């Protein structure tokens, strides 16, 4: 039987791409997104050094990041809860690339933490600091390192990073599931 | 849902694709036309025969054209026709043919063209710059994330939860890049790649290394879908779309356990129920799961019910997923080997199953006369999946 | 085509406002969705088989906006997808899904949060062909294309600028009776004619201002609809079509709308357009309403303007056109514009249109156009069966 | 009421600034575009591509006929213009920022014969009130040394003297 695919297309090298006729343009696409009810309060909480969640009385979860509706129960959430801000590392990455895929020498520690006082696996993405590649692990207890109050603006970056909590035992083993 | 009451059965009768390449000279419209032409040729149809066109294309921020669906439409054969774009991130690759399926299954159209296009090279300095805007603007973007992070975090969680070894995961990259050697459109085929090459490749965001990742690509792909009323008039070897499923999980990705993609399992369940598949491990002959990263192939095989959680890596190590293994997985070469022009990977998922199940896959042909295949794509923030079950009935 | 019929069993909507700083897009969508589910008497977590949202990335400011849609509609861990198209195109997908026999209840959502886009004109220009079209007009407002299209339409049909002005007058006046509308205004043709040109022959006041809002439709197979509601509004037919995307290849007679209407009428078995009681047509630019009325066969080519001036399309006329106030009166809701047109038809056919109720309305047509610079549109025929 | 609480003071509402930009987009002109722009840059001519069965001349040229999908190969390419006729025009008075332009610009759809697709470009060298549909115009090109293979190598169209 004949080859079904008769591929078409002219591949270009990076250099050829600059040689063939082309147009270069810079997009202008700027936004001012309304933060909305839930996130406005959350951001105000960050400014005050607090992590705020919303409680859903139907499924008894504390939603963090907060929202005004529970996506599982499809109902309005019921009230605000302040969390201690501590948590454990749910997962992490040691990144040698930045946002534009440029290579960087000193790696960024980034990951998801699950907050204490929230349901399992519920948390946010953030940086981790004061930790080495050898030490960092899933289940590691962490706490927020806040910017000084005068520098906080109501943004996720009001927290500089999360760092290991001293003297708290790791949940490393208990979190691991058995092989299926 | 009303299983068993489908108005019209739908078959694939032609497929086409362009080269997958880091950069193509063709505009998105030209690429679309090239792929569409090939699919129409294979189905022995002309554009005149086509009742409607379905476009699948992922972020406008790659091509750099707002409303790119409408912009692309003349190259896709949409002029003066009902033309519909659907969009579910990376899941579009297998979702666009699902939309094509309901165009035909509803009885509204008899013959439709499904076209997927992606031109990632327009986005400078790197396709990653567009990915910077897939994140929540308040919670995530201020941290200046890179898309690879999210995969890295998911992979870490997956390895931890199921005790999966990186050496086994990396074997997927080796397999797929070798499989791609038989693919005339492949961008990263490598007959000589070794496990060691992957393990020692440049660290990107550990545990992810460079060779764990599929490359950004330009490309287009197309399939022609027709109703049961005309399928056998057009070919002796129609390949039927017997099951479709899709599912999206919550936006709040930091509120989920990333180890197991539940949304894939839900989508698979929907597609299997529709196709009457009760035991996928016995009934499926070929799998084309979405493999933008090597661990994703494993996670997806598990959620598709083709392996127990954590076991896909062992299947891979034992060679069961090789082209001549028990369950050939990504015989096309996958995204890791052929390339990853997001939506256009239609050509190596649904397109590949069409060629394999109709015996036209040439050097890539899976032995043993395969009759049933499953294709799957994944998209959004580790959140969406689309699944198609395809079957040759003879 | 499958004989299973399709009906609207619930609608929900927010007000249409020029800005909505008090909610984010999720909260806006949640409001409309919750109201629609109440209206339909369903639980989205249990009863809905498929969810569809209509959105474009650059309107929203996200590379993959699909990610940010399921939770607020009750669609988490359910089948859901995005249509980067107008709300009526979303409706078309729901219609087909139900017609396959596989899906019983399908939800369609469309919204506009366009007030959050600070560089609207730049983003519109980003939809032009980047090689041949966009570089020509750096610094010029991209709506100039509407001026070109209006010129071609006037030239081809002999329609006058006064007749186009009459559309503005009527729609902004109709909007007084629509509590959802944001841009009601008392004008007369003379004041429109004396207003400034933006892109000759198009005047600034003939351009629909933008608005925010969300609309949700719940559709079901006919047999289910009849169980769930006493007032099912049947979606009898829906058509959609695209012309060549090249600005300079555009027809002067909105052939996309013509073809879409033919498709919808054929599905609906509608042979005589005189049976239509209400039409909600796209009026992003005043002349477009006239062009679209002609494309839909509701006026002969070149006669829509004359009929508009005569009042034939007014609340007391032979055919009620845009009793909602249209986009000129309600605001242009981006991808939700088509659903806003369809919403008015549904409310009218259910007899829930309050002061603007068209008496004994049985059949209504909604039409959308996705806007500049493309020629993509859709037409939906609804009816209240006896 | 949709939520259990809403804002009570406007000062509680926050918004977040951001963008969806990349450094730049690099758009290739494609296969047909390469022919078109090299001809324009090097020879100062405007090329179209003709689909004979459909009777359409595409300007700018395409590698396919969008109606019948036939491939338009090299032999389909032909010079059109530089003379054409105004099919439609508008006087753009507003800038992208919504403010009036100091100099209104005329944009027009140009025909190169009745079977050509329209061609979008700027019109100049004529008072806005003197432009008419059907006006015969010609392309004014930049000097060869300044041409770079872009659509703006044509400065504008102007009435034929």
């Amino acid at each position: 039987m004949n080859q079904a695919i008769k591929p078409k297309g002219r591949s270009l090298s990076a250099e050829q791409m600059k040689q063939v006729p082309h147009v270069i343009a810079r997009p202008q696409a700027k936004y001012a997104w309304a933060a909305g009810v839930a996130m406005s309060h959350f951001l105000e909480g960050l400014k005050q050094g607090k992590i705020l969640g919303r409680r859903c009385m139907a499924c008894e979860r504390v939603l963090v990041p907060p929202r005004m509706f529970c996506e599982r129960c499809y109902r309005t959430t019921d009230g605000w809860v302040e969390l201690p801000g501590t948590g454990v590392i749910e997962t992490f990455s040691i990144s040698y690339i930045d946002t534009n895929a440029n290579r960087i020498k000193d790696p960024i520690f980034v990951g998801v933490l699950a907050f204490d006082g929230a349901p399992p696996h519920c948390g946010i993405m953030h940086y981790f600091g004061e930790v080495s590649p050898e030490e960092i692990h899933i289940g590691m207890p962490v706490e927020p390192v806040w910017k000084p109050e005068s520098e906080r603006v109501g943004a996720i970056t009001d927290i500089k990073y999360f760092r290991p909590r001293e003297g708290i035992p790791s949940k490393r083993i208990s979190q691991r599931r058995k092989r299926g | 849902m009303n299983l068993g009451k489908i108005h019209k059965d739908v078959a694939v009768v032609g497929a086409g694709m362009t080269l997958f390449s880091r950069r193509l000279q063709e505009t998105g419209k030209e690429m679309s036309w090239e792929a569409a032409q090939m699919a129409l040729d294979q189905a022995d149809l002309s554009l005149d025969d086509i009742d409607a066109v379905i476009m699948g294309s992922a972020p406008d921020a790659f091509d750099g054209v707002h409303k790119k669906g409408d912009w692309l439409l003349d190259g896709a054969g949409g002029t003066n026709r009902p033309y519909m774009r659907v969009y579910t991130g990376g899941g579009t690759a297998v979702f666009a043919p699902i939309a094509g399926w309901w165009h035909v299954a509803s009885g509204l159209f008899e013959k439709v063209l499904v076209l997927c296009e992606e031109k990632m090279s327009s986005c400078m300095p790197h396709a990653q710059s567009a990915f910077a805007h897939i994140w929540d603007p308040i919670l995530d973007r201020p941290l200046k994330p890179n898309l690879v992070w999210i995969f890295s975090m998911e992979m870490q969680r997956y390895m931890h939860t199921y005790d999966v070894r990186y050496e086994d995961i990396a074997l997927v990259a080796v397999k797929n890049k070798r499989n791609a050697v038989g693919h005339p459109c492949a961008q990263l085929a490598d007959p000589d790649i070794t496990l060691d090459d992957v393990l020692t490749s440049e660290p990107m965001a550990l545990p992810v290394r460079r060779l764990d990742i599929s490359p950004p690509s330009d490309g287009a792909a197309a399939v022609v879908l027709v109703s049961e009323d005309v399928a056998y008039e057009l070919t002796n070897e129609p390949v039927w779309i017997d099951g479709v499923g899709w599912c999206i999980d919550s936006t709040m990705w930091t509120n989920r356990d990333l180890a197991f993609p539940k949304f894939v399992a839900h989508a698979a369940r929907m597609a299997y129920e529709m196709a009457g598949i009760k035991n996928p491990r016995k009934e499926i002959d070929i799998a084309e799961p979405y493999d933008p990263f090597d661990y994703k192939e494993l996670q997806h095989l598990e959620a598709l019910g083709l392996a127990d959680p954590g076991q896909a890596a062992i299947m891979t190590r034992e060679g069961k997923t090789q082209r001549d293994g028990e369950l050939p997985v990504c015989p096309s070469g996958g995204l890791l080997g052929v390339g990853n022009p997001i939506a256009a990977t239609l050509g190596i998922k649904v397109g590949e199953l069409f060629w394999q199940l109709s015996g036209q896959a040439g050097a890539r042909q899976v032995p043993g006369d395969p009759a049933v295949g499953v294709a799957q794509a994944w998209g959004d923030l580790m959140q969406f999946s689309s699944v198609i079950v395809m079957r040759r009935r003879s | 085509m499958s004989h299973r019929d399709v009906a609207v069993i619930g609608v929900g909507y927010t007000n249409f406002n020029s800005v909505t700083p008090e909610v984010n897009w999720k909260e806006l969508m949640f409001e409309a969705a919750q109201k629609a589910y109440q209206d339909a008497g369903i639980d989205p977590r249990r009863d809905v088989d498929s969810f569809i949202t209509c959105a474009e990335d650059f309107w929203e400011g996200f590379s993959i906006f699909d990610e940010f849609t399921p939770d607020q509609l009750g669609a988490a861990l359910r089948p859901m997808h995005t249509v980067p198209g107008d709300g009526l195109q979303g409706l078309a997908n729901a219609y087909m899904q139900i017609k396959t026999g596989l899906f019983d209840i399908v939800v369609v959502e469309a919204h506009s949060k366009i007030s959050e886009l600070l560089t609207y004109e730049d983003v519109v220009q980003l939809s032009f062909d980047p090689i041949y079209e966009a570089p020509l007009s750096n610094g010029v407002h991209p709506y100039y294309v509407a001026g070109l299209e209006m010129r071609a339409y006037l030239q081809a049909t002999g329609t006058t600028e006064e007749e186009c002005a009459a559309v503005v007058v009527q729609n902004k006046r109709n909007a007084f009776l629509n509590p959802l509308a944001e841009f009601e205004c008392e004008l007369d043709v003379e004041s429109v004619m004396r207003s400034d040109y933006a892109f000759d022959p198009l005047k600034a006041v003939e351009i629909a201002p933008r608005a925010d809002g969300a609309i949700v439709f719940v559709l079901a197979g006919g047999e289910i609809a009849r169980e769930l509601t006493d007032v099912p509004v049947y979606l009898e037919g829906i058509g959609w079509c695209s012309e060549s995307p090249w600005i300079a290849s555009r027809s002067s007679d909105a052939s996309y709308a013509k073809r879409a209407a033919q498709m919808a009428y054929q599905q609906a078995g509608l042979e005589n357009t005189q049976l239509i009681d209400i039409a909600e047509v796209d009026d992003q630019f005043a002349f477009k309403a006239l062009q679209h009325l002609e494309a839909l066969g509701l006026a002969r080519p070149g006669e829509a303007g004359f009929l508009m001036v005569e009042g034939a399309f007014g609340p007391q006329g032979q055919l009620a056109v845009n009793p909602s106030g249209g986009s000129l009166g309600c605001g242009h809701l981006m991808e939700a514009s088509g659903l806003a047109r369809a919403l008015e038809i549904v409310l009218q056919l259910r007899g829930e249109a309050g002061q603007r109720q068209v008496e004994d309305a049985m059949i209504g047509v909604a039409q959308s156009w996705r806007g500049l610079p493309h020629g993509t549109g859709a037409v939906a025929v609804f009816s209240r069966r006896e | 009421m949709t939520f259990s609480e809403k804002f009570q003071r406007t000062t509680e509402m926050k918004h977040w600034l951001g963008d969806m930009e990349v450094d730049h987009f690099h758009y290739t002109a494609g296969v047909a575009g390469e022919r078109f722009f090299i001809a324009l840059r090097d020879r100062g001519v405007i090329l179209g591509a003709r689909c004979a069965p459909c009777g359409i001349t595409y300007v700018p040229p395409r590698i396919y006929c969008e109606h019948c999908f036939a491939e338009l190969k090299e032999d389909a390419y032909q010079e059109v213009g530089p003379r054409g006729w105004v099919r439609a025009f508008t006087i753009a008075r507003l800038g992208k920022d919504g403010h009036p332009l100091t100099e209104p610009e005329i944009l027009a759809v140009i025909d190169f014969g009745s079977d050509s697709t329209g061609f979008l470009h700027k019109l100049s060298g004529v008072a806005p009130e003197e432009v008419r549909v059907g006006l015969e115009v010609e392309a004014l090109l930049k000097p060869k040394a300044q041409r770079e293979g872009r659509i703006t190598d044509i400065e504008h169209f102007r009435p034929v003297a």
Side-chain angles (χ1 to χ4, degrees):
Chain A
M1 186 165 283
N2 288 335
Q3 179 84 38
I5 306 173
K6 306 174 194 78
K8 285 195 174 177
R10 186 181 165 215
S11 263
L12 299 178
S13 67
E15 199 45 46
Q16 284 171 319
M17 177 119 161
K18 292 179 197 151
Q19 306 300 325
V20 296
H22 66 272
V23 167
I24 283 175
R26 197 182 146 69
Q28 298 283 323
K30 300 192 194 306
Y31 304 82
W33 296 281
V37 184
M39 287 310 293
S40 289
H41 284 294
F42 181 71
L43 293 175
E44 185 57 32
L46 290 174
K47 203 170 169 183
Q48 295 168 17
K50 295 179 195 166
I51 305 285
L52 294 179
R54 286 285 291 182
R55 185 194 310 283
C56 171
M57 295 209 292
C59 62
E60 298 190 333
R61 290 190 306 157
V62 174
L63 306 180
V64 56
R67 42 257 192 210
M68 298 309 291
F69 51 85
C70 172
E71 77 280 2
R72 285 201 195 158
C73 309
Y74 205 70
R75 60 185 294 281
T76 300
T77 49
D78 301 287
W80 292 98
V81 179
E82 186 185 336
L83 297 165
T86 55
V88 295
I89 294 180
E90 175 85 2
T91 185
F92 66 93
S93 171
I94 303 170
S95 182
Y96 291 90
I97 48 174
D98 73 3
T99 189
N100 283 319
N102 298 311
R103 306 308 194 254
I104 46 179
K105 208 167 132 263
D106 296 322
I108 300 167
F109 295 87
V110 64
V112 177
L113 67 135
F115 280 118
D116 296 337
H121 317 299
C122 265
I124 57 168
M125 175 171 77
H126 219 295
Y127 302 126
F128 299 119
E130 300 176 39
V131 68
S132 70
E134 294 74 30
E135 289 165 338
I136 191 168
H137 61 268
I138 289 175
M140 182 182 238
V142 289
E143 62 188 7
V145 176
W146 294 90
K147 284 184 181 166
E149 195 173 349
S150 59
E151 290 175 25
R152 295 204 292 258
V153 294
I156 197 71
T157 46
D158 287 350
I159 299 170
K160 284 204 267 188
Y161 51 82
F162 285 78
R163 70 176 170 205
R165 284 174 80 192
E166 307 247 326
I168 307 291
S170 165
K171 292 186 186 169
R172 185 173 202 169
I173 304 304
S174 63
Q175 287 238 329
R176 185 170 287 202
R177 282 187 211 161
K178 282 219 161 117
R179 262 190 197 177
Chain B
M1 248 177 234
N2 248 316
L3 290 165
K5 284 174 33 183
I6 308 293
H7 180 60
K8 291 282 180 195
D9 278 356
V10 181
V12 184
V13 296
M17 61 190 283
T18 64
L19 281 182
F20 287 2
S21 164
R22 181 70 190 85
R23 295 166 209 87
L24 285 179
Q25 182 179 16
E26 281 84 347
T27 63
K29 292 166 186 263
E30 290 175 340
M31 280 156 43
S32 299
W33 172 76
E34 287 172 349
Q37 213 20 16
M38 202 185 305
L40 288 170
D41 266 358
Q42 192 165 37
D44 206 13
L45 291 170
S46 70
L47 184 60
D48 246 4
D49 300 313
I50 295 296
D51 305 319
V53 177
I54 294 91
M55 165 59 70
S57 196
D60 289 8
F62 288 147
D63 294 60
V65 180
H66 169 48
K67 293 189 184 176
K68 76 169 162 178
D70 277 30
W71 172 68
L72 288 166
L73 74 88
D74 59 320
T79 299
N80 294 338
R81 278 189 179 71
Y83 175 87
M84 185 74 75
R85 177 179 171 204
V86 291
Y87 181 24
T88 54
T92 307
V94 171
F95 191 73
I98 292 178
W101 170 84
W102 71 60
H103 276 67
V104 178
S106 62
L108 251 70
F109 304 101
E110 204 166 63
K111 306 183 195 80
V112 303
L113 177 67
V114 179
L115 200 294
C116 285
E117 179 272 358
E118 214 74 63
K119 192 162 164 87
M120 300 172 77
S121 64
S122 303
C123 184
M124 294 285 181
H126 193 276
Q128 281 296 340
S129 313
F131 282 126
H133 306 302
I134 71 168
W135 309 75
D136 185 285
I138 297 177
L139 290 165
D140 301 334
R141 288 192 216 176
L143 299 171
K144 300 188 167 48
N146 183 297
L147 183 74
V148 178
W149 290 7
I150 205 170
F151 291 98
S152 168
M153 291 186 266
E154 195 182 45
M155 179 166 161
Q156 187 87 269
R157 183 81 204 161
Y158 172 66
M159 290 166 65
H160 170 83
T161 304
Y162 299 115
D163 207 6
V164 176
R165 292 166 30 187
Y166 177 55
E167 293 75 17
D168 292 338
I169 291 175
L171 281 173
V172 173
V174 176
K175 168 179 69 78
N176 290 3
K177 287 175 200 293
R178 287 189 187 168
N179 277 354
V181 171
H183 204 297
C185 302
Q187 177 179 351
L188 282 188
D190 184 350
D192 304 319
I193 190 169
T194 65
L195 178 60
D196 213 41
D197 292 339
V198 183
L199 299 183
T200 58
S201 63
E202 183 190 4
M204 304 294 277
L206 290 174
V208 172
R209 291 172 181 272
R210 193 170 55 79
L211 291 180
D212 297 317
I213 312 179
S214 58
S217 309
D218 291 355
V223 292
V224 178
L225 308 185
V226 302
S227 141
E228 61 186 49
D229 300 334
V230 295
Y232 284 107
E233 290 169 22
L234 295 168
T235 172
N236 295 324
E237 290 286 7
V239 175
W240 298 91
I241 295 183
D242 276 0
V244 300
W246 66 101
C247 182
I248 190 166
D249 204 344
S250 164
T251 303
M252 311 308 291
W253 66 278
T254 60
N255 284 188
R256 288 189 251 129
D257 187 351
L258 301 173
F260 184 81
K262 255 194 233 170
F263 51 95
V264 179
H266 281 241
R269 193 168 65 205
M270 178 175 166
Y272 290 155
E273 272 184 39
M274 189 176 148
I277 291 201
K278 299 204 169 55
N279 185 345
R281 288 182 212 186
K282 286 211 172 111
E283 295 174 61
I284 304 272
D285 301 323
I286 304 180
E288 273 287 349
Y290 211 59
D291 62 325
F293 286 65
D294 42 16
Y295 79 96
K296 285 249 91 109
E297 172 171 312
L298 304 177
Q299 230 190 3
H300 291 154
L301 282 176
E302 292 163 10
L304 287 167
L306 298 170
D308 284 331
Q311 296 297 301
I314 295 166
M315 279 173 68
T316 306
R317 191 200 307 155
E318 292 171 349
K320 290 180 180 163
T321 58
Q322 295 285 347
R323 188 177 284 136
D324 55 358
E326 242 167 65
L327 175 71
V329 177
C330 292
S332 63
L335 283 60
L336 286 162
V338 187
N340 186 8
I342 315 289
T345 58
L346 166 76
I348 48 175
K349 297 295 159 198
V350 173
E352 181 71 5
L353 285 189
F354 168 70
W355 287 312
Q356 289 283 356
L357 300 180
S358 60
Q360 302 181 73
R364 302 182 315 288
Q365 185 66 47
V366 166
D369 209 13
V372 184
V374 62
Q376 178 256 344
W378 158 94
D380 293 0
L381 273 171
M382 312 203 268
Q383 185 184 4
F384 177 89
S385 186
S386 39
V387 175
I388 287 188
V389 176
M390 290 167 68
R391 192 182 268 139
R392 177 170 48 79
R393 289 185 182 162
S394 50
Chain C
M1 190 171 76
S2 154
H3 290 299
R4 189 186 202 192
D5 48 11
V6 178
V8 180
I9 61 167
V11 288
Y13 42 92
T14 66
N15 282 333
F16 307 146
N17 293 313
S18 55
V19 292
T20 49
E22 75 284 7
V23 282
N24 66 14
W25 79 95
K26 294 181 187 172
E27 293 163 354
L28 187 80
M29 286 165 72
F30 181 77
E31 180 185 339
Q34 216 188 26
K35 288 175 177 170
Y37 302 147
Q38 291 255 343
D39 187 40
I42 58 158
D43 172 0
R45 303 298 291 147
R46 187 190 64 208
D47 301 325
V48 177
D49 297 320
S50 166
F51 298 82
I52 297 166
T53 191
C54 304
E56 275 285 2
D57 285 354
F58 271 104
W59 291 148
E60 314 287 347
F62 296 81
S63 276
I64 307 180
F65 185 69
D66 189 49
E67 299 162 12
F68 299 92
T69 56
D71 297 11
Q72 55 272 31
L73 298 181
L77 269 182
R78 312 281 300 172
M80 172 160 189
H81 77 277
T82 292
V83 171
D86 173 80
L88 288 190
Q89 289 176 295
L91 224 49
N93 283 290
Y95 180 80
M96 288 187 280
Q97 288 184 346
I98 291 170
K99 286 273 188 188
T100 64
L102 186 65
F103 303 85
D104 290 337
I105 298 183
V106 181
V107 165
V108 179
E109 186 274 347
H111 62 272
S112 160
K113 250 300 200 172
I114 199 66
S115 66
E116 296 179 348
L117 170 55
L118 305 178
T119 52
Y120 174 79
E121 292 77 10
D122 291 278
V123 167
V124 171
Q125 186 171 306
L126 201 58
S127 58
F128 287 32
D129 184 275
I131 303 292
Y132 297 102
E133 294 170 353
L136 290 176
S137 55
N138 257 336
V140 175
H141 195 297
Y143 275 9
Y144 78 83
V145 176
L148 284 175
E149 294 196 10
M150 180 171 173
R151 175 89 58 193
Y153 170 70
L154 299 188
Q155 185 80 19
T157 59
T159 303
T160 66
E161 291 183 35
E162 284 82 358
E163 289 167 348
C164 297
V167 175
V168 182
V169 174
Q170 176 175 308
N171 286 8
K172 286 189 179 283
R173 189 177 291 154
N174 283 354
F176 275 104
L177 297 182
N178 186 354
L180 296 179
E182 174 84 338
F183 297 99
E184 66 276 8
C185 187
E186 189 57 45
L187 290 173
D188 56 33
V189 169
E190 201 203 325
S191 59
V192 174
M193 287 304 293
R194 286 170 55 195
S195 70
D196 289 340
Y197 282 112
F199 315 98
D200 311 21
L202 184 73
K203 297 174 190 71
V205 71
E206 292 178 321
I207 301 170
R210 301 187 292 280
D212 292 351
I215 304 171
V216 172
F217 271 50
V218 184
L219 292 99
E223 74 287 357
I224 291 153
R226 288 182 282 276
E227 265 176 41
L228 290 178
T229 173
D230 296 332
V231 283
V233 172
Y234 291 90
L235 177 52
E236 304 281 8
I238 186 156
W240 62 102
C241 191
S242 295
E243 273 187 55
S244 173
W246 294 88
I247 290 170
S249 294
R250 195 66 29 81
S251 69
S252 62
D253 60 354
S255 77
Y256 55 88
K258 223 183 227 180
R259 287 170 202 261
Q262 280 161 6
M263 182 173 159
Y265 295 165
Q266 194 185 9
Q267 287 166 11
L270 185 79
E271 281 162 15
N272 182 355
T273 53
Q274 291 190 338
L275 293 171
I276 295 168
D277 302 303
I278 319 167
E280 281 276 328
V281 299
D282 177 89
D283 59 335
Q284 284 175 50
F285 305 100
F287 79 96
K288 275 279 170 189
L290 303 177
Q291 190 192 38
H292 288 149
L293 282 166
E294 291 164 9
L296 264 58
L298 300 171
R300 279 195 286 270
E303 290 188 1
F306 167 77
L307 290 168
M308 181 66 69
V309 170
E310 293 290 295
F313 299 137
Q316 268 78 48
Q318 64 191 49
L319 170 72
V321 173
N322 290 3
S324 69
S327 289
L328 286 162
C330 295
H332 173 32
L333 293 161
M334 317 316 290
E335 306 304 354
S337 279
L339 275 197
R341 306 281 71 74
L343 172 67
E344 176 69 7
I345 300 290
V346 170
L347 295 178
Q348 290 279 357
L349 296 183
R350 282 181 175 186
E352 295 172 2
Q355 278 185 288
R356 60 189 195 287
Q357 182 65 46
V358 176
E359 272 181 46
D360 297 325
M362 293 293 293
I363 299 180
V365 172
Q367 181 257 339
S368 69
W369 168 53
R370 278 203 78 201
L372 291 175
H374 301 121
T376 292
V379 174
V381 180
F382 296 91
S383 86
R384 168 170 66 90
R385 295 181 190 161
E386 281 295 355
Chain D
M1 190 167 102
T2 317
F3 303 127
S4 59
E5 60 177 81
K6 287 190 173 179
F7 294 119
Q8 300 286 293
R9 295 174 189 83
T10 53
T11 48
E12 293 172 359
M13 295 190 287
K14 291 187 189 293
H15 67 265
W16 193 264
L17 296 173
D19 65 62
M20 193 176 143
E21 296 171 2
V22 299
D23 185 76
H24 65 275
F25 289 116
H26 182 118
Y27 306 100
T28 57
V31 176
E34 181 170 35
R35 288 209 179 113
F36 177 80
F37 286 116
I38 288 178
L40 183 65
R41 184 189 65 196
D42 297 350
R43 297 193 285 129
V45 298
I46 298 173
L47 285 187
R50 184 163 178 79
C51 176
C54 292
I56 300 171
T57 304
Y58 291 96
V59 191
R62 331 258 160 99
I63 60 170
Y64 53 86
C65 169
E66 68 176 287
H67 293 280
C68 73
F69 249 28
E71 182 172 1
L72 304 180
K73 297 184 183 148
E74 207 159 350
D75 60 3
Y77 284 69
Q78 50 187 244
E79 286 179 26
V80 299
R83 286 193 181 189
W85 296 267
V86 172
R87 184 193 293 178
F89 67 97
T90 187
I91 301 151
R93 297 177 189 275
L94 296 185
K96 216 154 48 173
D97 56 4
H99 296 301
L101 294 167
T102 36
E103 270 307 307
E105 285 202 29
I106 310 174
L107 285 127
V109 176
I110 315 290
D111 264 344
F112 296 102
S114 59
D115 56 0
S116 86
T117 60
F119 182 80
L120 187 68
H121 219 287
K122 292 186 280 196
L123 202 59
S124 203
V126 55
E129 53 278 10
E130 279 166 19
V131 186
R132 293 286 175 273
V133 171
L135 182 71
E136 193 173 5
V137 292
E138 63 185 356
L140 178 71
L141 269 59
K142 284 182 180 164
K144 191 167 179 182
Q146 290 173 27
R147 297 203 289 257
E148 38 185 12
R150 306 263 154 85
I151 194 67
T152 43
D153 287 355
I154 301 172
E155 279 200 30
H156 54 253
F157 281 74
R158 61 179 178 194
V160 172

